């Protein structure tokens, strides 16, 4: 047996590792100088474009107006000059296909001139605005036949273009939407942009009712907190499961796990902080406002969060953040693992998506504000959220469903699969009072008149935090905590914006033309609480009582992706997405198909890995050890020592069990056709095999165990 070499030499090489020389020094180059230096920013456009062209770009970005075609040539030329000055030789339309990844097609700026030897650098408005990647191999869920595989990328003016430096060169990256030649969305950005436009229209109707005269473009905002694991790269490469599936499919719990709770907010290890500085610098260059960083709960787990931005830009920046994390980790000899549940027995990783809506004239519309008048407006927006989440809870569950996230949702560490809303004590109390027939008493003041103008002042801080809620009010925004660490945030944001649009439309229609606005607000809010109050839950979402109570309340508990994914194209979802022009029925169905396909592909890879690792790595070592033990037993017997080795019996039994586990898994695997087979037959068979292997890990001599252990991966830095 020569299996010891890989794993043990990995440890030896990490122990002898020379830390990478620091390349980041913020005292030479301040964050202010670095920030946005790789982006084609508004400031740059102001300097390089004609005033009228610049004005139309600003109108597009700030107010969602269409960019006149005449402006495009000038912008393209300025963009090219700038990019070339930054060393760019190529440009790429960056787009976000339904697989959730980032895709890019690179083209050179240079055309070899036909009559001279000079290469001419060109970039026209037309090429900036539209591209045509060969789209046939991107999943489209049956939206296009392959022979009509045309797909177009269209420049998203609202998300800044940037240059990306890599090993030997620089590329100008242009964020784009990706649509079929018949105009159907083939990506995650297009519906997000559509949903933001719809949200703006309806939010303004509400603001008008509150008497605002100047109302700027209302934008959804998002601040995603990203959790991730870092392990040494050498371990990563010695684990085929991590390499190919992003998570460990085997591994006994380490002697020390997260039970001491000594990692959360602890001192950041030296090697990791060096990594974080470099991540921040790369993000700053790209204009990504990275803000907080800290250790997370599990050993080896960390978090990064930016300042919130307009939802569409935040979504692009989030995708960029994930690639920067991976790239920089690699430079530091680390692997950044974004999977939702890379290690069993310790916490998984999520992506808390903080979400709100607001504009430059009225500010954050989910901020309670200081005056009762602002409070009433706030309550309308908060009421709209409650109605939206209650009415479309299954949709919200479906947009976070994936093979990876299934391991997290419902485990007692992440929000449960039941979608409920946490309001905090004070806000819940206000809604209770509304339900009881209006706010008639106030703890803060003396006598009150009836009517929304006299709702009690709402505290800025909603009070306690509740980590167990999937959808929590956190003082001036909601935090959707069920999103997976590996997922793009766009589908969640598109869903939130669309269902919020629906609620705002509903409320505006009820209030417009009402003889007495205050009374009408009271009534509509009371009706919302009466009808949708059951979605509000301020208790412990991990408890069994909650699961029982949620069932009594009739809330959906869609435990697995198999249960949840069909909701993505449920009847009321189709209705609301079509109504606001976000996605058509065909587009929604295509998304569902792609999500199912992704799920099945993922579990399929995992099942292959389990069978292969168990058969080719674990079985030889375990059966070899059984033979060694049997030899010892025989020799002892020959020497006249009567002894039975109980370890031999245990190992031999597990080896036999392992063979039958593998056979059982292969059978389940080859018989799987429906998505439910993968969830309810293949996954349990994989788990059964894992159990046997993990038991063997505790018996087989350590120096012949082929896979890096949890202890090593999580604690050696
Ligand atoms: P915590 O871990 O306590 O929830 P963090 O500071 O890690 O807090 O993350 C909070 C996130 O919420 C940040 O990205 C922050 O910018 C974002 N956020 C704050 N206000 C808003 C808002 N109005 N809309 C969207 N996101 C917001
Ligand atoms: Mg948070």
């Amino acid at each position: 047996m020569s299996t010891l070499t890989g794993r043990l030499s990995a440890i030896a090489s990490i122990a002898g590792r020379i830390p990478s020389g620091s390349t980041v020094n913020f005292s030479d180059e301040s964050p202010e100088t670095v920030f946005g230096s790789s982006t084609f920013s508004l400031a740059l456009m102001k300097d390089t474009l004609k005033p009228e062209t610049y004005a139309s770009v600003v109108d597009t970005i700030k107010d969602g107006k269409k960019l006149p075609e005449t402006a495009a040539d000038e912008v393209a030329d300025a963009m090219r000059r700038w990019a070339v000055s930054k060393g760019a030789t190529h440009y790429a339309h960056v787009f976000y296909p339904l697989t959730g990844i980032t895709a890019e097609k690179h083209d050179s700026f240079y055309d070899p001139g036909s009559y001279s030897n000079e290469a001419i650098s060109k970039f026209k408005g037309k090429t900036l605005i539209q591209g045509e990647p060969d789209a046939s191999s991107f999943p489209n869920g049956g939206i296009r036949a392959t022979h009509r595989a045309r797909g177009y990328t269209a420049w998203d003016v609202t998300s800044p273009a940037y240059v990306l430096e890599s090993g030997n060169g620089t590329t100008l990256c242009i964020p784009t939407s990706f649509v079929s030649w018949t105009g159907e969305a083939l990506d995650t950005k297009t519906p997000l942009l559509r949903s933001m436009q719809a949200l703006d229209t309806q939010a303004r109707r509400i603001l008008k009712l509150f008497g605002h005269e100047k109302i700027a473009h209302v934008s959804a905002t998002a601040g995603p907190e990203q959790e991730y694991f870092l392990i040494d790269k050498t371990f990563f490469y010695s684990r085929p499961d991590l390499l190919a599936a992003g998570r460990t499919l085997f591994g006994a719990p380490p002697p020390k796990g997260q039970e001491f709770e000594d990692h959360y907010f602890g001192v950041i290890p030296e090697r990791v902080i060096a990594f974080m500085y470099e991540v921040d610098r790369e993000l700053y260059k790209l204009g990504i406002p990275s803000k907080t960083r800290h250790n997370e709960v599990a050993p080896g787990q960390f978090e990064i969060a930016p300042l919130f931005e307009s939802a569409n830009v935040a979504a692009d920046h989030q995708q960029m953040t994930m690639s920067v994390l991976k790239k920089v980790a690699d430079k530091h000899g680390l692997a950044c693992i974004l999977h939702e549940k890379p290690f069993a027995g310790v916490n998984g990783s999520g992506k808390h998506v903080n979400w709100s809506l607001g504009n430059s004239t009225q500010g954050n519309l989910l901020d309670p504000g200081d005056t009762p008048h602002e409070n009433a407006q706030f309550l309308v927006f908060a009421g709209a959220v409650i109605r939206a989440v209650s009415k479309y809870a299954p949709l919200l569950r479906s947009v976070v469903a994936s093979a990876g996230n299934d391991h997290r949702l419902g485990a007692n560490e992440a929000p449960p699969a039941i979608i409920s809303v946490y309001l905090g004590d004070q806000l819940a109390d206000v809604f209770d009072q509304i339900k009881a027939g209006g706010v008639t008493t106030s703890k803060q003041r003396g006598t009150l008149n009836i009517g929304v103008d006299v709702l009690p002042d709402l505290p800025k801080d909603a009070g306690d935090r509740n980590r167990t809620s999937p959808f929590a009010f956190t003082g001036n925004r909601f935090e959707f905590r069920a999103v997976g660490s590996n997922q793009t945030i766009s589908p969640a944001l598109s869903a939130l914006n669309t269902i919020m649009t629906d609620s705002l439309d509903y409320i505006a229609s009820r209030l417009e033309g009402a003889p007495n606005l205050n009374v009408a607000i009271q009534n509509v809010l009371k009706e919302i609480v009466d009808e949708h109050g059951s979605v509000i839950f301020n208790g412990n979402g991990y408890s069994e009582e909650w699961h029982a109570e949620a069932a009594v309340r009739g809330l959906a508990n869609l435990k697995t992706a198999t249960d949840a994914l069909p909701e993505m194209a449920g009847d009321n979802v189709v209705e609301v997405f079509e109504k606001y022009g976000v996605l058509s029925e065909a587009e929604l169905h295509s998304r569902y198909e792609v999500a199912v396909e992704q799920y099945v592909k993922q579990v399929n890879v995992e099942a292959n890995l389990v069978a292969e690792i168990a058969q080719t790595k674990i079985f030889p070592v375990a059966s070899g050890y059984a033979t060694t033990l049997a030899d010892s037993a025989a020799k002892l017997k020959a020497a006249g020592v009567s002894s039975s080795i109980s370890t031999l019996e245990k190992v031999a039994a597990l080896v036999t069990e392992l063979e039958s586990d593998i056979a059982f898994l292969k059978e389940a695997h080859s018989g799987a056709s429906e998505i439910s087979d993968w969830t309810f037959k293949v996954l349990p068979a994989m788990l059964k095999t894992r159990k046997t292997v993990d038991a063997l890990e505790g018996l087989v001599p350590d120096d012949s165990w082929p896979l890096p252990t949890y202890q090593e991966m999580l604690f050696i830095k």
Side-chain angles (χ1 to χ4, degrees), residues 21 42 69-70 89 93 111 141 254 257 295 382 408 424 427 473 483 492 508 513 520 524 541 667:
L42 272 177
E69 271 172 38
T70 45
T89 50
H93 276 199
D111 274 342
N295 286 3
R408 183 177 155 258
L427 194 51
F473 182 66
V483 184
V524 79
E667 201 181 299

mmCIF file with all atom_site columns, all heavy atoms in Angstrom, residues 21 42 69-70 89 93 111 141 254 257 295 382 408 424 427 473 483 492 508 513 520 524 541 667:
data_model
loop_
_atom_site.group_PDB
_atom_site.id
_atom_site.type_symbol
_atom_site.label_atom_id
_atom_site.label_alt_id
_atom_site.label_comp_id
_atom_site.label_asym_id
_atom_site.label_entity_id
_atom_site.label_seq_id
_atom_site.pdbx_PDB_ins_code
_atom_site.Cartn_x
_atom_site.Cartn_y
_atom_site.Cartn_z
_atom_site.occupancy
_atom_site.B_iso_or_equiv
_atom_site.pdbx_formal_charge
_atom_site.auth_seq_id
_atom_site.auth_comp_id
_atom_site.auth_asym_id
_atom_site.auth_atom_id
_atom_site.pdbx_PDB_model_num
ATOM 1   N N   . GLY A 1 21  ? 5.187   36.487 -0.390  1.00 0.00 ? 21  GLY A N   1
ATOM 2   C CA  . GLY A 1 21  ? 5.603   37.849 -0.048  1.00 0.00 ? 21  GLY A CA  1
ATOM 3   C C   . GLY A 1 21  ? 4.431   38.790 -0.244  1.00 0.00 ? 21  GLY A C   1
ATOM 4   O O   . GLY A 1 21  ? 3.729   38.685 -1.230  1.00 0.00 ? 21  GLY A O   1
ATOM 5   N N   . LEU A 1 42  ? -18.277 56.838 -14.117 1.00 0.00 ? 42  LEU A N   1
ATOM 6   C CA  . LEU A 1 42  ? -18.985 58.051 -14.533 1.00 0.00 ? 42  LEU A CA  1
ATOM 7   C C   . LEU A 1 42  ? -18.023 59.233 -14.598 1.00 0.00 ? 42  LEU A C   1
ATOM 8   O O   . LEU A 1 42  ? -18.100 60.064 -15.498 1.00 0.00 ? 42  LEU A O   1
ATOM 9   C CB  . LEU A 1 42  ? -20.109 58.349 -13.540 1.00 0.00 ? 42  LEU A CB  1
ATOM 10  C CG  . LEU A 1 42  ? -21.447 57.679 -13.827 1.00 0.00 ? 42  LEU A CG  1
ATOM 11  C CD1 . LEU A 1 42  ? -22.442 57.997 -12.732 1.00 0.00 ? 42  LEU A CD1 1
ATOM 12  C CD2 . LEU A 1 42  ? -22.004 58.116 -15.189 1.00 0.00 ? 42  LEU A CD2 1
ATOM 13  N N   . GLU A 1 69  ? -29.107 55.803 -29.633 1.00 0.00 ? 69  GLU A N   1
ATOM 14  C CA  . GLU A 1 69  ? -28.102 55.069 -30.405 1.00 0.00 ? 69  GLU A CA  1
ATOM 15  C C   . GLU A 1 69  ? -26.922 55.937 -30.797 1.00 0.00 ? 69  GLU A C   1
ATOM 16  O O   . GLU A 1 69  ? -25.787 55.473 -30.883 1.00 0.00 ? 69  GLU A O   1
ATOM 17  C CB  . GLU A 1 69  ? -28.749 54.478 -31.659 1.00 0.00 ? 69  GLU A CB  1
ATOM 18  C CG  . GLU A 1 69  ? -29.322 53.100 -31.385 1.00 0.00 ? 69  GLU A CG  1
ATOM 19  C CD  . GLU A 1 69  ? -30.139 52.572 -32.546 1.00 0.00 ? 69  GLU A CD  1
ATOM 20  O OE1 . GLU A 1 69  ? -29.731 52.813 -33.703 1.00 0.00 ? 69  GLU A OE1 1
ATOM 21  O OE2 . GLU A 1 69  ? -31.187 51.948 -32.282 1.00 0.00 ? 69  GLU A OE2 1
ATOM 22  N N   . THR A 1 70  ? -27.224 57.216 -31.013 1.00 0.00 ? 70  THR A N   1
ATOM 23  C CA  . THR A 1 70  ? -26.155 58.132 -31.429 1.00 0.00 ? 70  THR A CA  1
ATOM 24  C C   . THR A 1 70  ? -25.044 58.234 -30.391 1.00 0.00 ? 70  THR A C   1
ATOM 25  O O   . THR A 1 70  ? -23.892 58.512 -30.718 1.00 0.00 ? 70  THR A O   1
ATOM 26  C CB  . THR A 1 70  ? -26.741 59.536 -31.662 1.00 0.00 ? 70  THR A CB  1
ATOM 27  O OG1 . THR A 1 70  ? -27.610 59.830 -30.559 1.00 0.00 ? 70  THR A OG1 1
ATOM 28  C CG2 . THR A 1 70  ? -27.516 59.599 -32.962 1.00 0.00 ? 70  THR A CG2 1
ATOM 29  N N   . THR A 1 89  ? -6.195  44.427 -24.858 1.00 0.00 ? 89  THR A N   1
ATOM 30  C CA  . THR A 1 89  ? -6.091  44.073 -26.268 1.00 0.00 ? 89  THR A CA  1
ATOM 31  C C   . THR A 1 89  ? -7.415  43.496 -26.752 1.00 0.00 ? 89  THR A C   1
ATOM 32  O O   . THR A 1 89  ? -7.681  43.416 -27.936 1.00 0.00 ? 89  THR A O   1
ATOM 33  C CB  . THR A 1 89  ? -5.026  42.980 -26.465 1.00 0.00 ? 89  THR A CB  1
ATOM 34  O OG1 . THR A 1 89  ? -5.289  41.937 -25.522 1.00 0.00 ? 89  THR A OG1 1
ATOM 35  C CG2 . THR A 1 89  ? -3.626  43.532 -26.248 1.00 0.00 ? 89  THR A CG2 1
ATOM 36  N N   . HIS A 1 93  ? -17.897 40.561 -23.931 1.00 0.00 ? 93  HIS A N   1
ATOM 37  C CA  . HIS A 1 93  ? -19.252 40.743 -23.419 1.00 0.00 ? 93  HIS A CA  1
ATOM 38  C C   . HIS A 1 93  ? -19.440 39.698 -22.326 1.00 0.00 ? 93  HIS A C   1
ATOM 39  O O   . HIS A 1 93  ? -19.358 38.506 -22.604 1.00 0.00 ? 93  HIS A O   1
ATOM 40  C CB  . HIS A 1 93  ? -20.277 40.551 -24.535 1.00 0.00 ? 93  HIS A CB  1
ATOM 41  C CG  . HIS A 1 93  ? -20.496 41.784 -25.346 1.00 0.00 ? 93  HIS A CG  1
ATOM 42  N ND1 . HIS A 1 93  ? -21.594 41.974 -26.129 1.00 0.00 ? 93  HIS A ND1 1
ATOM 43  C CD2 . HIS A 1 93  ? -19.758 42.921 -25.469 1.00 0.00 ? 93  HIS A CD2 1
ATOM 44  C CE1 . HIS A 1 93  ? -21.526 43.161 -26.714 1.00 0.00 ? 93  HIS A CE1 1
ATOM 45  N NE2 . HIS A 1 93  ? -20.412 43.749 -26.329 1.00 0.00 ? 93  HIS A NE2 1
ATOM 46  N N   . ASP A 1 111 ? -7.936  44.566 -35.819 1.00 0.00 ? 111 ASP A N   1
ATOM 47  C CA  . ASP A 1 111 ? -8.207  43.937 -37.101 1.00 0.00 ? 111 ASP A CA  1
ATOM 48  C C   . ASP A 1 111 ? -6.941  44.066 -37.915 1.00 0.00 ? 111 ASP A C   1
ATOM 49  O O   . ASP A 1 111 ? -6.484  45.179 -38.137 1.00 0.00 ? 111 ASP A O   1
ATOM 50  C CB  . ASP A 1 111 ? -9.306  44.715 -37.850 1.00 0.00 ? 111 ASP A CB  1
ATOM 51  C CG  . ASP A 1 111 ? -10.677 44.248 -37.422 1.00 0.00 ? 111 ASP A CG  1
ATOM 52  O OD1 . ASP A 1 111 ? -10.759 43.151 -36.841 1.00 0.00 ? 111 ASP A OD1 1
ATOM 53  O OD2 . ASP A 1 111 ? -11.641 44.997 -37.652 1.00 0.00 ? 111 ASP A OD2 1
ATOM 54  N N   . GLY A 1 141 ? -33.295 25.405 -21.530 1.00 0.00 ? 141 GLY A N   1
ATOM 55  C CA  . GLY A 1 141 ? -34.526 24.758 -21.090 1.00 0.00 ? 141 GLY A CA  1
ATOM 56  C C   . GLY A 1 141 ? -35.544 24.629 -22.199 1.00 0.00 ? 141 GLY A C   1
ATOM 57  O O   . GLY A 1 141 ? -36.731 24.781 -21.963 1.00 0.00 ? 141 GLY A O   1
ATOM 58  N N   . PRO A 1 254 ? -14.215 15.503 12.917  1.00 0.00 ? 254 PRO A N   1
ATOM 59  C CA  . PRO A 1 254 ? -12.916 15.654 13.571  1.00 0.00 ? 254 PRO A CA  1
ATOM 60  C C   . PRO A 1 254 ? -13.075 15.606 15.089  1.00 0.00 ? 254 PRO A C   1
ATOM 61  O O   . PRO A 1 254 ? -14.165 15.878 15.595  1.00 0.00 ? 254 PRO A O   1
ATOM 62  C CB  . PRO A 1 254 ? -12.467 17.045 13.137  1.00 0.00 ? 254 PRO A CB  1
ATOM 63  C CG  . PRO A 1 254 ? -13.736 17.778 12.854  1.00 0.00 ? 254 PRO A CG  1
ATOM 64  C CD  . PRO A 1 254 ? -14.730 16.757 12.375  1.00 0.00 ? 254 PRO A CD  1
ATOM 65  N N   . GLY A 1 257 ? -14.519 20.025 16.615  1.00 0.00 ? 257 GLY A N   1
ATOM 66  C CA  . GLY A 1 257 ? -15.314 20.641 15.550  1.00 0.00 ? 257 GLY A CA  1
ATOM 67  C C   . GLY A 1 257 ? -15.503 22.111 15.840  1.00 0.00 ? 257 GLY A C   1
ATOM 68  O O   . GLY A 1 257 ? -14.551 22.823 16.148  1.00 0.00 ? 257 GLY A O   1
ATOM 69  N N   . ASN A 1 295 ? -14.153 36.051 10.644  1.00 0.00 ? 295 ASN A N   1
ATOM 70  C CA  . ASN A 1 295 ? -14.266 34.601 10.755  1.00 0.00 ? 295 ASN A CA  1
ATOM 71  C C   . ASN A 1 295 ? -15.728 34.251 10.910  1.00 0.00 ? 295 ASN A C   1
ATOM 72  O O   . ASN A 1 295 ? -16.475 34.973 11.548  1.00 0.00 ? 295 ASN A O   1
ATOM 73  C CB  . ASN A 1 295 ? -13.573 34.102 12.025  1.00 0.00 ? 295 ASN A CB  1
ATOM 74  C CG  . ASN A 1 295 ? -12.059 34.131 11.928  1.00 0.00 ? 295 ASN A CG  1
ATOM 75  O OD1 . ASN A 1 295 ? -11.502 34.569 10.936  1.00 0.00 ? 295 ASN A OD1 1
ATOM 76  N ND2 . ASN A 1 295 ? -11.410 33.660 12.970  1.00 0.00 ? 295 ASN A ND2 1
ATOM 77  N N   . ALA A 1 382 ? -43.746 48.153 4.247   1.00 0.00 ? 382 ALA A N   1
ATOM 78  C CA  . ALA A 1 382 ? -43.515 46.926 5.029   1.00 0.00 ? 382 ALA A CA  1
ATOM 79  C C   . ALA A 1 382 ? -44.689 45.962 4.845   1.00 0.00 ? 382 ALA A C   1
ATOM 80  O O   . ALA A 1 382 ? -44.506 44.751 4.701   1.00 0.00 ? 382 ALA A O   1
ATOM 81  C CB  . ALA A 1 382 ? -43.316 47.270 6.502   1.00 0.00 ? 382 ALA A CB  1
ATOM 82  N N   . ARG A 1 408 ? -28.285 22.444 3.288   1.00 0.00 ? 408 ARG A N   1
ATOM 83  C CA  . ARG A 1 408 ? -28.187 23.497 4.280   1.00 0.00 ? 408 ARG A CA  1
ATOM 84  C C   . ARG A 1 408 ? -29.572 23.853 4.828   1.00 0.00 ? 408 ARG A C   1
ATOM 85  O O   . ARG A 1 408 ? -29.799 23.822 6.019   1.00 0.00 ? 408 ARG A O   1
ATOM 86  C CB  . ARG A 1 408 ? -27.552 24.704 3.599   1.00 0.00 ? 408 ARG A CB  1
ATOM 87  C CG  . ARG A 1 408 ? -27.313 25.850 4.478   1.00 0.00 ? 408 ARG A CG  1
ATOM 88  C CD  . ARG A 1 408 ? -26.608 26.935 3.670   1.00 0.00 ? 408 ARG A CD  1
ATOM 89  N NE  . ARG A 1 408 ? -26.896 28.199 4.289   1.00 0.00 ? 408 ARG A NE  1
ATOM 90  C CZ  . ARG A 1 408 ? -27.786 29.061 3.841   1.00 0.00 ? 408 ARG A CZ  1
ATOM 91  N NH1 . ARG A 1 408 ? -28.446 28.833 2.740   1.00 0.00 ? 408 ARG A NH1 1
ATOM 92  N NH2 . ARG A 1 408 ? -28.006 30.182 4.503   1.00 0.00 ? 408 ARG A NH2 1
ATOM 93  N N   . GLY A 1 424 ? -39.401 41.364 14.307  1.00 0.00 ? 424 GLY A N   1
ATOM 94  C CA  . GLY A 1 424 ? -38.893 41.956 15.541  1.00 0.00 ? 424 GLY A CA  1
ATOM 95  C C   . GLY A 1 424 ? -40.076 42.347 16.408  1.00 0.00 ? 424 GLY A C   1
ATOM 96  O O   . GLY A 1 424 ? -41.172 42.577 15.894  1.00 0.00 ? 424 GLY A O   1
ATOM 97  N N   . LEU A 1 427 ? -42.059 46.001 15.751  1.00 0.00 ? 427 LEU A N   1
ATOM 98  C CA  . LEU A 1 427 ? -42.812 46.087 14.502  1.00 0.00 ? 427 LEU A CA  1
ATOM 99  C C   . LEU A 1 427 ? -43.958 45.072 14.499  1.00 0.00 ? 427 LEU A C   1
ATOM 100 O O   . LEU A 1 427 ? -45.073 45.374 14.049  1.00 0.00 ? 427 LEU A O   1
ATOM 101 C CB  . LEU A 1 427 ? -41.876 45.857 13.312  1.00 0.00 ? 427 LEU A CB  1
ATOM 102 C CG  . LEU A 1 427 ? -42.412 46.231 11.944  1.00 0.00 ? 427 LEU A CG  1
ATOM 103 C CD1 . LEU A 1 427 ? -42.962 47.643 11.934  1.00 0.00 ? 427 LEU A CD1 1
ATOM 104 C CD2 . LEU A 1 427 ? -41.314 46.095 10.896  1.00 0.00 ? 427 LEU A CD2 1
ATOM 105 N N   . PHE A 1 473 ? -36.611 41.239 9.066   1.00 0.00 ? 473 PHE A N   1
ATOM 106 C CA  . PHE A 1 473 ? -36.476 42.692 9.032   1.00 0.00 ? 473 PHE A CA  1
ATOM 107 C C   . PHE A 1 473 ? -35.306 43.062 9.938   1.00 0.00 ? 473 PHE A C   1
ATOM 108 O O   . PHE A 1 473 ? -35.249 42.631 11.093  1.00 0.00 ? 473 PHE A O   1
ATOM 109 C CB  . PHE A 1 473 ? -37.762 43.361 9.524   1.00 0.00 ? 473 PHE A CB  1
ATOM 110 C CG  . PHE A 1 473 ? -37.696 44.858 9.465   1.00 0.00 ? 473 PHE A CG  1
ATOM 111 C CD1 . PHE A 1 473 ? -37.613 45.501 8.227   1.00 0.00 ? 473 PHE A CD1 1
ATOM 112 C CD2 . PHE A 1 473 ? -37.699 45.631 10.612  1.00 0.00 ? 473 PHE A CD2 1
ATOM 113 C CE1 . PHE A 1 473 ? -37.542 46.886 8.150   1.00 0.00 ? 473 PHE A CE1 1
ATOM 114 C CE2 . PHE A 1 473 ? -37.629 47.018 10.541  1.00 0.00 ? 473 PHE A CE2 1
ATOM 115 C CZ  . PHE A 1 473 ? -37.545 47.646 9.314   1.00 0.00 ? 473 PHE A CZ  1
ATOM 116 N N   . VAL A 1 483 ? -30.615 32.137 0.667   1.00 0.00 ? 483 VAL A N   1
ATOM 117 C CA  . VAL A 1 483 ? -29.847 32.019 -0.569  1.00 0.00 ? 483 VAL A CA  1
ATOM 118 C C   . VAL A 1 483 ? -28.563 31.241 -0.281  1.00 0.00 ? 483 VAL A C   1
ATOM 119 O O   . VAL A 1 483 ? -27.948 31.413 0.768   1.00 0.00 ? 483 VAL A O   1
ATOM 120 C CB  . VAL A 1 483 ? -29.522 33.420 -1.145  1.00 0.00 ? 483 VAL A CB  1
ATOM 121 C CG1 . VAL A 1 483 ? -28.803 33.304 -2.477  1.00 0.00 ? 483 VAL A CG1 1
ATOM 122 C CG2 . VAL A 1 483 ? -30.795 34.250 -1.293  1.00 0.00 ? 483 VAL A CG2 1
ATOM 123 N N   . ALA A 1 492 ? -33.209 35.445 -6.853  1.00 0.00 ? 492 ALA A N   1
ATOM 124 C CA  . ALA A 1 492 ? -33.864 35.854 -5.611  1.00 0.00 ? 492 ALA A CA  1
ATOM 125 C C   . ALA A 1 492 ? -34.294 37.315 -5.710  1.00 0.00 ? 492 ALA A C   1
ATOM 126 O O   . ALA A 1 492 ? -35.421 37.672 -5.344  1.00 0.00 ? 492 ALA A O   1
ATOM 127 C CB  . ALA A 1 492 ? -32.925 35.654 -4.423  1.00 0.00 ? 492 ALA A CB  1
ATOM 128 N N   . ALA A 1 508 ? -51.621 50.412 -4.125  1.00 0.00 ? 508 ALA A N   1
ATOM 129 C CA  . ALA A 1 508 ? -51.854 51.700 -4.793  1.00 0.00 ? 508 ALA A CA  1
ATOM 130 C C   . ALA A 1 508 ? -53.265 51.747 -5.377  1.00 0.00 ? 508 ALA A C   1
ATOM 131 O O   . ALA A 1 508 ? -53.969 52.751 -5.251  1.00 0.00 ? 508 ALA A O   1
ATOM 132 C CB  . ALA A 1 508 ? -50.809 51.915 -5.887  1.00 0.00 ? 508 ALA A CB  1
ATOM 133 N N   . GLY A 1 513 ? -57.720 57.400 -5.140  1.00 0.00 ? 513 GLY A N   1
ATOM 134 C CA  . GLY A 1 513 ? -59.134 57.748 -5.238  1.00 0.00 ? 513 GLY A CA  1
ATOM 135 C C   . GLY A 1 513 ? -59.922 57.492 -3.965  1.00 0.00 ? 513 GLY A C   1
ATOM 136 O O   . GLY A 1 513 ? -61.126 57.726 -3.916  1.00 0.00 ? 513 GLY A O   1
ATOM 137 N N   . ALA A 1 520 ? -58.172 54.677 4.489   1.00 0.00 ? 520 ALA A N   1
ATOM 138 C CA  . ALA A 1 520 ? -57.916 53.637 3.477   1.00 0.00 ? 520 ALA A CA  1
ATOM 139 C C   . ALA A 1 520 ? -56.643 52.865 3.800   1.00 0.00 ? 520 ALA A C   1
ATOM 140 O O   . ALA A 1 520 ? -56.585 51.642 3.635   1.00 0.00 ? 520 ALA A O   1
ATOM 141 C CB  . ALA A 1 520 ? -57.828 54.273 2.096   1.00 0.00 ? 520 ALA A CB  1
ATOM 142 N N   . VAL A 1 524 ? -56.460 48.879 4.444   1.00 0.00 ? 524 VAL A N   1
ATOM 143 C CA  . VAL A 1 524 ? -55.719 47.944 3.595   1.00 0.00 ? 524 VAL A CA  1
ATOM 144 C C   . VAL A 1 524 ? -54.656 47.211 4.418   1.00 0.00 ? 524 VAL A C   1
ATOM 145 O O   . VAL A 1 524 ? -54.416 46.007 4.237   1.00 0.00 ? 524 VAL A O   1
ATOM 146 C CB  . VAL A 1 524 ? -55.150 48.640 2.329   1.00 0.00 ? 524 VAL A CB  1
ATOM 147 C CG1 . VAL A 1 524 ? -53.894 49.434 2.615   1.00 0.00 ? 524 VAL A CG1 1
ATOM 148 C CG2 . VAL A 1 524 ? -54.849 47.613 1.246   1.00 0.00 ? 524 VAL A CG2 1
ATOM 149 N N   . GLY A 1 541 ? -36.934 29.476 14.584  1.00 0.00 ? 541 GLY A N   1
ATOM 150 C CA  . GLY A 1 541 ? -37.235 28.749 13.353  1.00 0.00 ? 541 GLY A CA  1
ATOM 151 C C   . GLY A 1 541 ? -36.642 27.346 13.311  1.00 0.00 ? 541 GLY A C   1
ATOM 152 O O   . GLY A 1 541 ? -37.007 26.539 12.470  1.00 0.00 ? 541 GLY A O   1
ATOM 153 N N   . GLU A 1 667 ? -27.020 0.549  -8.356  1.00 0.00 ? 667 GLU A N   1
ATOM 154 C CA  . GLU A 1 667 ? -28.348 0.162  -8.805  1.00 0.00 ? 667 GLU A CA  1
ATOM 155 C C   . GLU A 1 667 ? -29.298 1.362  -8.778  1.00 0.00 ? 667 GLU A C   1
ATOM 156 O O   . GLU A 1 667 ? -30.008 1.626  -9.752  1.00 0.00 ? 667 GLU A O   1
ATOM 157 C CB  . GLU A 1 667 ? -28.869 -0.944 -7.887  1.00 0.00 ? 667 GLU A CB  1
ATOM 158 C CG  . GLU A 1 667 ? -29.981 -1.764 -8.507  1.00 0.00 ? 667 GLU A CG  1
ATOM 159 C CD  . GLU A 1 667 ? -30.458 -2.812 -7.514  1.00 0.00 ? 667 GLU A CD  1
ATOM 160 O OE1 . GLU A 1 667 ? -29.625 -3.658 -7.122  1.00 0.00 ? 667 GLU A OE1 1
ATOM 161 O OE2 . GLU A 1 667 ? -31.644 -2.758 -7.121  1.00 0.00 ? 667 GLU A OE2 1
#
